[in-house]
Amino acid sequence: MTDLQERSLSLLAGLGVDRTQLAAGPLAVRSPVDGSLLAELAIAGPAEVASAIGMARAASLAWRDVPAPQRGELVRLLGEELRAAKPQLGELVSIEAGKIGTEGLGEVQEMIDICDFAVGLSRQLYGLTIASERPGHRMMETWHPLGVVGVITAFNFPVAVWAWNAALALVCGNAVVWKPSEKTPLTALACQAIFARAAQRFGQAPAQLNQVVVGLRDTGEALVDDARVALVSATGSTRMGRAVGPRVAQRFGRSLLELGGNNAVIVTPSADLDLAVRGIAFAAVGTAGQRCTSTRRLIVHASVKDALVARLQAAFAKLPIGSPLEAGTLVGPLIDRQAFEAMQAALVAARAEGGTVTGGERVLVAEFPQAFYVRPAIAEMPAQTATVRHETFAPILYVLAYADFADAIALQNGVPQGLSSAIFSNDLREAERFLSASGSDCGIANVNIGTSGAEIGGAFGGEKETGGGRESGSDAWRAYMRRATNTVNYSRELPLAQGVKFDV
Ligand code: NAD
């Protein structure tokens, strides 16, 4: 048994995961830290998925009649359990997904934050009262639970995305069936054990309100195709969303898609370059460039380009790359060999398109022959080529120069994805233009901070090939409920709308 396997088994046991689940089938789970095998899990086939949905459906029928503020109490307890489990779950995220320590812990903090948000929300699921045109009538809208929410998640936020969905779905009166990434199912089993403790403390909430189905794409497809799943909230690549969206639409289900990004930072001549270097470096290389909001494109005014690129190259050259479990590391591993090969292919293509690349090479090969650590790359490009327009899920920062501000906005918007964007500028006109209707076309547009690291209070998601969904804060809860418009007649007459007469 490797050290990491031993450590993860001990963390999983401490978090309450039954050991028999960890040597139960063909799904090999490996750590990106050193490539070692952590566990072998059973895969849920169509019958298991159908049964999980059936249990969730039954649980949702009782749960929908529990008053929303009481449902909030379950989520409050979940937040408490997460607070208690934070060090262990954070470390497990680092082992399974390769995130550095503070990011693993930060991910759990994000789960706690969304629980707190959802507890407050449980008393604020407001509908409108609407003026009726008819005397003695009142109109209003009420919001009701949907039933079962299917949640499909990506490897790079293995637990937070579940919490974003589950905390809202639960206070909204739904049950959840979760298909985690096949690359990170252990943290999902840990979350299920944590949830079970909260449900037990709550008393009347069935543990079946949250189900985990582990597996590959077919397991996800079984969830997607089941008509009992009212909403499919799917986070992952645009390729996945292109498959999932039409399948859910085919059966008139709802989908909430959170897909790939190709996020840009614009740096204008008036920008504070110290701030820009720090903001861009964190967003470009944090999580080894494996965030949906990672900065992938730098669109910089020609007058500051050389100075900024030189500073970024110097910062990238001395980044501490290494095991995410060691203090001081800022750049951990790529998730697997496939991710490494996709990065190398993108760099070859960028060079062929006229780009000049620094960095990008594999490092620490002797120490970690079975894992994939890379030095983040900077690729100065002559134009926004096909490779730049594609999301490669690795730390590559493409640099494009601009002369005219309108061109900078056109470049920013000139990609198929529309998740996150930022501008570094001290020119109020440029900053406001960037945020205006004719500015950034993304779901997230920031000023003087980078593209990644969103807080849970705002709605999260993006446009175009990013899928259009919104999760987390603001009024994202509405996606997890159905709206009923009610008209109540408290008069003795029956007037019809629009002056229609129909006397019988
Ligand atoms: P992926 O698309 O390979 O897998 C995501 C999930 O979808 C996995 O659980 C997978 O098993 C499942 N899946 C794949 N095909 C499916 C299908 N046809 N039917 C049902 N389920 C299917 O993504 P990944 O490599 O795990 O994650 C990286 C991608 O996710 C990047 O593109 C990144 O930008 C994106 N992402 C987006 C957000 C966001 O909020 N917009 C957040 C995190 C990650």
Side-chain angles (χ1 to χ4, degrees), residues 152-156 179-182 216-217 220-221 224 235-237 239-240 243-244 258-261 292 391 393 419 460:
I152 294 174
T153 54
F155 78 84
N156 67 322
K179 208 302 271 172
S181 165
E182 54 274 39
L216 311 172
R217 175 197 295 208
E221 284 170 354
V224 162
T235 298
S237 59
R239 181 186 44 74
M240 177 276 285
V244 167
E258 296 278 355
L259 311 175
C292 50
E391 180 200 44
F393 215 54
L419 180 53
F460 183 92

Side-chain angles (χ1 to χ4, degrees), residues 281 284-289 312-313 315-321 330-332 343 347 357-363 373-379 394-397:
V285 310
T287 327
L312 286 168
Q313 280 168 339
F316 278 31
K318 60 178 188 347
L319 282 168
I321 304 169
L330 291 183
V331 181
M343 177 180 181
L347 293 177
V357 178
T358 49
E361 71 279 10
R362 187 168 170 198
V363 296
Y373 291 82
V374 290
R375 180 158 301 284
I378 295 180
I396 305 174
L397 181 65

Side-chain angles (χ1 to χ4, degrees), residues 278-291 293-297 312 316 376-377 394-397 451-452:
R278 284 164 51 204
I280 295 164
F282 169 68
V285 310
T287 327
Q290 300 168 107
R291 288 192 184 209
T293 50
S294 291
T295 300
R296 310 204 178 280
R297 298 177 296 137
L312 286 168
F316 278 31
I396 305 174
L397 181 65
T451 54
S452 69

Side-chain angles (χ1 to χ4, degrees), residues 10 22 54 57 116 123 168 181 202 217 231 261 309 323 372 378 383 392 422 426 466 471 487:
S10 139
L22 304 173
R57 172 81 187 139
D116 287 353
R123 291 179 186 271
L168 295 199
S181 165
F202 183 78
R217 175 197 295 208
L231 168 69
V309 170
S323 165
F372 296 88
I378 295 180
T392 299
N426 282 329
T466 303
E471 283 178 354
T487 306

Side-chain angles (χ1 to χ4, degrees), residues 88-332:
Q88 294 81 3
L89 186 58
E91 188 180 342
L92 196 61
V93 167
S94 291
I95 293 173
E96 198 181 32
K99 294 192 171 192
I100 63 170
T102 56
E103 288 189 88
L105 291 170
E107 186 162 346
V108 183
Q109 185 58 46
E110 200 168 346
M111 304 170 82
I112 295 167
D113 294 343
I114 194 69
C115 286
D116 287 353
F117 179 91
V119 174
L121 180 67
S122 70
R123 291 179 186 271
Q124 299 172 77
L125 302 172
Y126 301 136
L128 297 173
T129 297
I130 301 154
S132 169
E133 67 187 59
R134 288 170 279 189
H137 285 57
R138 184 169 69 83
M139 285 173 70
M140 62 182 178
E141 60 182 24
T142 42
W143 292 84
H144 298 301
L146 290 174
V148 178
V149 175
V151 177
I152 294 174
T153 54
F155 78 84
N156 67 322
F157 274 90
V159 288
V161 173
W162 165 72
W164 285 6
N165 283 282
L168 295 199
L170 288 167
V171 297
C172 289
N174 305 296
V176 171
V177 180
W178 177 20
K179 208 302 271 172
S181 165
E182 54 274 39
K183 295 173 188 171
T184 54
L186 297 180
T187 41
L189 297 181
C191 290
Q192 178 64 8
I194 291 167
F195 176 79
R197 278 198 290 284
Q200 194 178 13
R201 281 176 65 193
F202 183 78
Q204 335 137 33
Q208 290 84 348
L209 274 174
N210 192 75
Q211 308 272 333
V212 174
V213 289
V214 168
L216 311 172
R217 175 197 295 208
D218 333 7
T219 305
E221 284 170 354
L223 189 60
V224 162
D225 289 340
D226 196 307
R228 292 171 297 174
V229 179
L231 168 69
V232 175
S233 173
T235 298
S237 59
T238 294
R239 181 186 44 74
M240 177 276 285
R242 229 186 266 291
V244 167
R247 285 176 88 127
V248 178
Q250 183 81 20
R251 60 173 177 84
F252 295 103
R254 296 184 190 193
S255 52
L256 192 171
L257 300 176
E258 296 278 355
L259 311 175
N262 191 353
N263 318 295
V265 167
I266 296 175
V267 177
T268 77
S270 67
D272 176 337
L273 287 193
D274 291 340
L275 213 60
V277 168
R278 284 164 51 204
I280 295 164
F282 169 68
V285 310
T287 327
Q290 300 168 107
R291 288 192 184 209
C292 50
T293 50
S294 291
T295 300
R296 310 204 178 280
R297 298 177 296 137
L298 168 59
I299 301 166
V300 52
H301 192 267
S303 65
V304 286
K305 177 181 166 238
D306 289 348
L308 181 60
V309 170
R311 288 183 64 174
L312 286 168
Q313 280 168 339
F316 278 31
K318 60 178 188 347
L319 282 168
I321 304 169
S323 165
L325 305 173
E326 266 160 38
T329 297
L330 291 183
V331 181

